[in-house]
């Protein structure tokens, strides 16, 4: 005990000695510093005066992803995030599919790691175009098992950074190698489309798509606008489950769109971010794309596995360019590599390995379709519940569009002020255009949302 105290005393003396030495040293060096401070600052210091970035203004948050940021800051226990299109369970939790967990387990356990096939255990670079088997299987998923275009090697598929990255690579390829630099996007559309394509080097115009009066497709306006687009113009089409409106053309309308586009030589660029989420069937949701491929013409398709496999943060997707001949497709692929290499060099390996593991195995594929259908069905149930809840409250207006619209979102028709009111008074977060992600809703939260909509509509009409 005595020894401890003594040694504490020793240490304390030593410590104060060290402190005063340090203080003297600092004093001396700061005097030396002050003598030639002007000279040294201007020559070597990075801290003289204003930042060279001082003029940079604070950018607004992203209109969709910024909703989550605002939601995270809200301490309310009843808060509800219906902004971003991300699936939640009945308990309001993010979902990792069982089949994905199983695939990851297999990848970890795969001791013989068939190197050429699935390589998540190996962390080497993938080729510029990504995992070959992933690309082959993604094309089949999109165009069909027995697609003649695939059989004739008319399709080139490259792994990209989810849907967004696929759109960007496709856009940059078109800006470099396609004679028409104008892309027509639907009005309205996913908010990132105009930015992605403008930065890719294309000029963006819109075509009429949605009629707020009928809350349905403005089919006449769409046909008129595409008919008057310059020959060869690129047209962005949502393959299914149009975001944000939830309004898709019928198969008959798709056929008319196809005929018009082919006769006007317009180039289809499909954005397929929700395959399986619209109808619950992967094949049904690929019908529009397959219709355009079956006529032998050319098109582009951006595929995302964010929603349908729940691989949001893995950033896994694919760009396919369907050409009219195999030799063209192979040259196109060589140029895609020149787009990708200086952009991000090559894509990440893990997500693509998960997808390939699931798509190549019949049992796992079937397990995936069951889980996918369950997600789609839960969303449809939420549509019915919200519709019933508004009816039960006698909320003014026709809310049948809630059950008619397709996919992850309901385009409610609520205006900016009503949305702001719902956020302020009810802690419900959604994009300011009145889009709500039905996938973020559960049986427990439907009444709260219905109360909020009812109040917003009756007080701020
Ligand atoms: N296209 C559409 C139509 C789309 O809605 C999204 C994502 C994407 C592409 C891109 O998804 P990716 O994660 O890059 O594969 N939409 C949701 C998320 C987001 O805005 O990033 C959304 O609209 O909420």
């Amino acid at each position: 005990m005595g020894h401890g105290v003594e040694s504490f005393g020793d240490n304390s003396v030593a410590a104060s000695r060290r402190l005063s030495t340090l203080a003297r040293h600092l004093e001396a060096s700061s005097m030396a510093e002050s003598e030639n401070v002007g000279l040294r600052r201007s020559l070597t210091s990075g801290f003289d005066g204003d930042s060279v970035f001082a003029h940079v203004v604070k950018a607004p948050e992203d209109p969709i992803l910024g909703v989550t940021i605002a939601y995270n800051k809200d301490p309310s226990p009843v808060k509800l995030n219906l902004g971003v299109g991300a699936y939640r369970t009945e308990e309001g939790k993010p979902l990792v599919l069982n089949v994905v967990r199983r695939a990851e387990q297999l990848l970890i356990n795969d001791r013989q790691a068939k190197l050429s096939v699935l390589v998540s255990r190996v962390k080497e670079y993938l080729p510029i175009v990504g995992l070959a088997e992933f690309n082959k299987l993604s094309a089949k998923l999109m165009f069909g098992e027995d697609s003649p275009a695939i059989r004739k090697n008319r399709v080139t598929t490259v792994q990209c950074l989810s849907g967004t990255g696929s759109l960007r690579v496709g856009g940059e390829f078109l800006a470099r190698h396609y004679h028409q630099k104008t892309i027509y996007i639907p009005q309205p559309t996913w908010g990132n489309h105009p930015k992605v394509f403008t930065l890719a080097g294309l000029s963006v115009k819109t075509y009429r798509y949605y009629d707020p009066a009928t809350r349905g497709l403005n089919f006449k306006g769409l046909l008129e606008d595409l008919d008057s687009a310059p020959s060869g113009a690129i047209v962005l089409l949502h393959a299914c489950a149009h975001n944000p409106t939830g309004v898709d053309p019928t198969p008959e309308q798709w056929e008319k769109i196809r005929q018009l586009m082919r006769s006007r030589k317009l180039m289809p660029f499909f954005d397929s971010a929700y395959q399986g989420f619209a109808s619950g069937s992967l094949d049904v949701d690929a019908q529009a794309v397959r219709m355009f491929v079956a006529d032998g013409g050319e098109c582009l398709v951006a595929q995302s596995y964010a929603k349908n496999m729940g691989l949001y943060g893995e950033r896994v997707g694919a760009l396919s360019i369907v050409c009219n001949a195999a030799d063209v497709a192979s040259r196109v692929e060589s140029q895609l590599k020149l787009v990708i290499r200086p952009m991000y060099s090559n894509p990440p390996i893990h997500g693509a390995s998960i997808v390939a593991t699931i798509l190549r195995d019949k049992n796992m594929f079937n397990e995936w379709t069951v889980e996918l259908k369950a997600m789609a069905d839960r969303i449809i149930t939420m549509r019915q519940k919200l519709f019933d809840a508004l009816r039960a409250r006698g909320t003014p207006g026709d809310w049948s569009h809630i059950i008619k619209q397709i996919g992850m979102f309901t385009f409610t028709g609520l205006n900016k002020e009503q949305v702001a009111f719902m956020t302020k008074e009810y802690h419900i977060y959604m994009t300011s255009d009145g889009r709500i992600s039905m996938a973020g809703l559960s049986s427990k939260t439907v009444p709260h949302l219905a109360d909020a909509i009812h109040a917003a509509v009756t007080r701020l009409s």
Side-chain angles (χ1 to χ4, degrees):
M1 186 72 180
H3 179 77
V5 170
E6 216 174 65
S7 103
F8 176 79
D10 281 357
N11 276 348
S12 140
V13 170
S16 68
R17 215 170 26 233
R18 272 199 304 273
L19 260 180
S20 55
T21 314
L22 182 64
R24 270 199 310 275
H25 173 76
L26 284 176
E27 218 171 283
S29 66
S30 88
M31 269 163 61
E33 180 96 339
S34 65
E35 283 163 17
N36 51 15
V37 70
L39 180 66
R40 275 227 253 138
R41 280 241 173 105
S42 65
L43 288 181
T44 60
S45 166
F47 303 107
D48 58 339
D50 283 349
S51 164
V52 293
F53 304 116
H55 62 285
V56 173
V57 293
K58 173 114 174 66
E61 294 290 355
D62 180 81
I64 298 175
L65 302 183
V67 174
T68 302
I69 295 173
Y71 167 84
N72 286 338
K73 285 187 192 147
D74 187 338
S76 166
V78 298
K79 66 179 177 176
L80 190 54
N81 186 3
L82 305 177
V84 68
Y87 185 81
R88 295 283 178 275
T89 62
E90 256 297 293
E91 289 71 44
K93 298 263 170 354
L95 179 68
V96 178
L97 300 185
N98 276 328
V99 72
V100 166
R101 284 278 184 248
R102 215 146 70 76
E104 287 186 314
Q105 205 55 56
L106 280 178
L107 289 168
I108 289 165
N109 295 343
D110 187 10
R111 296 260 149 221
Q112 53 278 13
K114 300 166 205 96
L115 279 189
S116 61
V117 189
L118 292 172
V119 283
S120 191
R121 215 167 61 83
V122 174
K123 303 300 183 190
E124 286 284 307
Y125 291 130
L126 281 179
I128 296 172
V129 295
L131 192 62
E133 194 188 19
F134 164 86
N135 289 336
K136 218 171 97 198
L137 293 166
S138 294
K140 280 193 174 168
L141 185 71
M142 190 75 256
F143 303 113
E145 194 66 39
D146 49 358
S147 159
I150 296 179
R151 222 178 326 113
K152 292 180 185 151
N153 296 318
R154 292 202 286 113
V155 186
T156 168
T157 303
V158 296
Q159 181 192 332
C160 294
L161 305 185
S162 214
T164 311
S166 308
L167 293 165
R168 179 69 185 259
V169 169
E172 299 228 359
F173 170 81
L174 290 169
R176 281 192 209 180
H177 299 286
Y178 185 60
H179 67 281
Q180 252 291 354
K181 312 291 182 206
T182 305
I183 185 163
Y184 283 74
I185 60 175
Q187 173 63 359
T189 191
W190 180 48
N192 215 15
H193 278 150
K195 302 170 200 170
V196 166
F197 293 122
T198 304
L199 288 171
L202 296 171
S203 129
V204 175
K205 293 214 163 97
T206 59
Y207 63 89
R208 279 172 286 171
Y209 188 85
Y210 179 73
D211 182 356
T214 62
R215 296 207 169 112
L217 186 69
N218 182 353
F219 190 49
K220 190 165 162 284
L222 179 152
L223 292 179
E224 279 170 15
D225 288 351
L226 296 190
D227 198 28
S228 54
S231 173
I234 309 153
V235 179
L236 190 280
L237 300 159
H238 293 227
C240 68
H242 182 274
N243 176 9
T245 68
V247 173
D248 283 352
T250 63
E252 295 71 33
Q253 288 171 330
W254 271 121
E255 176 53 21
K256 289 227 167 67
I257 295 169
R258 188 194 65 77
Q259 285 172 10
L260 173 73
M261 284 185 58
R262 290 311 193 196
S263 75
R264 302 276 302 111
K265 300 202 179 330
L266 303 174
M267 174 61 88
F269 192 161
F270 284 99
D271 180 356
S272 178
Y274 299 95
Q275 189 182 1
F277 253 103
S279 68
S281 154
L282 289 156
D283 286 321
V284 171
D285 289 354
Q287 284 303 296
V289 173
R290 291 181 191 174
M291 202 182 265
F292 277 75
V293 176
D295 68 13
E298 305 184 302
C299 68
L300 290 85
V301 185
Q303 261 172 287
S304 167
Y305 289 97
K307 328 281 168 147
N308 60 11
M309 241 184 235
L311 293 175
Y312 307 90
E314 293 290 354
R315 311 309 293 146
V316 56
L319 170 73
S320 287
I321 304 191
V322 181
C323 305
N324 69 1
D327 63 318
V328 181
S330 131
R331 279 179 278 134
V332 164
E333 180 163 316
S334 71
Q335 288 294 339
L336 285 173
K337 286 159 75 171
L338 297 193
V339 173
I340 293 166
R341 172 67 168 149
M343 200 191 282
Y344 54 86
S345 195
N346 46 67
I349 200 165
H350 187 66
S353 303
I354 296 171
V355 174
T357 304
I358 294 170
L359 296 186
R360 72 204 281 256
D361 180 280
K362 221 174 163 28
N363 283 331
M364 291 185 100
F365 184 89
N366 289 339
E367 189 180 334
W368 173 42
T369 60
V370 172
E371 288 192 79
L372 177 57
K373 176 90 171 48
M375 288 194 283
D377 284 349
R378 200 185 79 72
I379 292 172
I380 292 168
T381 309
M382 288 307 115
R383 290 186 180 284
Q384 191 63 50
K385 289 204 167 169
L386 179 60
F387 176 72
D388 292 345
L390 290 174
R391 276 247 291 243
R393 282 162 182 72
T395 308
D398 172 10
W399 296 94
S400 61
H401 56 287
I402 295 177
I403 37 183
K404 281 189 214 137
Q405 291 172 355
I406 292 163
M408 259 191 170
F409 305 107
T410 289
F411 204 44
T412 57
L414 295 164
N415 61 36
K416 242 184 160 136
E417 290 70 38
Q418 291 167 328
V419 170
F421 168 85
M422 286 167 60
T423 305
K424 184 157 176 279
E425 303 296 329
Y426 288 82
H427 306 275
I428 292 172
Y429 290 79
M430 54 201 276
T431 52
S432 61
D433 59 1
R435 182 191 88 165
I436 59 178
S437 172
M438 299 306 285
L441 209 52
S442 73
S443 307
K444 270 185 273 151
T445 53
V446 162
H448 182 55
L449 175 61
D451 287 345
I453 294 178
H454 186 84
V457 168
T458 47
R459 290 190 212 174
L460 303 166
S461 52

